[in-house]
Amino acid sequence: MPADPLNSAGPPQRIHPAGRPVVDAERDDRVEVRRSARRRRTVSAYREGDRTIVMIPARMTADEERRWVTVMLDKLAAQEDRRILDDDALASRAAELSERYLQGRAQPDSVRWVTNQNARWGSCTPALGSIRLSHRLQGMPEYVLDYVLLHELAHLLVPGHGPGFWELVERYPRTERARGFLEGVVAAERLPYVPGPRAD
């Protein structure tokens, strides 16, 4: 069974009052500026795991670079804010996934975002029927969020990480892709290792 990155979310982040990580572009090694001689006027930015890559023309001054990095970080954050599900929408998404992949058998009492979960992507307390997802998943691709949700939903039916648990999780067709994405995020954080599955 391949390694499971769900218990390796990387180091903690400072949080903006709106719930986003606080990024100081000049001191934050999660922001990488790439200069290109072929790029004349355009500036672009994208997320690569937990890092932000800002592409700028090579001729820009340091002041222009700082200004554009700030503009692009704000633009990305605004785009991601529009995509973030609130707790009610998250619970609805969990119900849809349970219906589609688990015959509706996994019915959590609560599904919510938390900001105090920095060492793992998600957690489940079967006795309470509660699922908590790390705020760090916000803004990641939808298929990654769905994988983490389904992983935690499966724990409502099978508490450990044995073969029965993995049989449920692997019903999700994008499991390997999502796991690869999360493993890439973990690698980008330069963690010493990604723990393997437990033999429960």
Side-chain angles (χ1 to χ4, degrees):
M1 195 61 51
D4 183 8
L6 286 186
N7 293 326
S8 301
Q13 299 174 336
R14 293 183 301 134
I15 302 301
H16 184 278
R20 293 194 307 267
V22 173
V23 177
D24 179 347
E26 291 187 26
R27 291 182 293 182
D28 195 324
D29 63 358
R30 289 174 294 144
V31 176
E32 178 182 336
V33 176
R34 295 182 185 168
R35 292 177 171 266
S36 170
R38 293 186 310 192
R39 191 176 283 267
R40 297 288 178 221
R41 289 188 297 268
T42 61
V43 177
S44 64
Y46 61 94
R47 303 287 193 207
E48 191 173 84
D50 201 31
R51 295 175 59 80
T52 303
I53 310 301
V54 181
M55 308 287 289
I56 65 171
R59 62 172 176 72
M60 276 194 178
T61 66
D63 286 341
E64 289 173 317
E65 174 184 319
R66 276 191 295 277
R67 184 176 71 79
W68 274 107
V69 165
T70 300
V71 166
M72 297 311 288
L73 289 174
D74 288 346
K75 184 176 178 180
L76 281 175
Q79 291 170 349
E80 290 165 354
D81 282 349
R82 287 193 296 271
R83 289 196 316 246
I84 293 171
L85 303 175
D86 63 17
D87 288 350
D88 290 337
L90 197 60
S92 294
R93 187 68 188 149
E96 290 172 25
L97 291 167
S98 177
E99 192 63 39
R100 185 177 306 157
Y101 299 108
L102 305 172
Q103 294 80 44
R105 295 184 299 134
Q107 298 182 5
D109 291 326
S110 68
V111 182
R112 62 190 176 93
W113 296 108
V114 293
T115 59
N116 63 349
Q117 195 160 263
N118 294 308
R120 54 180 55 197
W121 297 112
S123 63
C124 175
T125 307
L128 300 176
S130 65
I131 291 174
R132 293 159 310 283
L133 298 185
S134 172
H135 70 282
R136 297 187 65 211
L137 288 164
Q138 295 174 340
M140 287 190 185
E142 188 175 278
Y143 72 91
V144 175
L145 176 60
D146 284 354
Y147 166 71
V148 176
L149 265 174
L150 189 68
H151 183 108
E152 302 309 334
L153 287 165
H155 277 308
L156 291 174
L157 305 175
V158 180
H161 287 93
F165 170 81
W166 290 111
E167 185 275 321
L168 295 175
V169 172
E170 288 169 2
R171 292 178 183 178
Y172 181 58
R174 299 180 88 179
T175 289
E176 287 307 312
R177 184 174 180 191
R179 287 162 56 92
F181 184 96
L182 292 172
E183 287 169 357
V185 171
V186 170
E189 294 285 350
R190 298 180 186 91
L191 291 178
Y193 71 96
V194 177
R198 295 181 226 165
D200 292 348

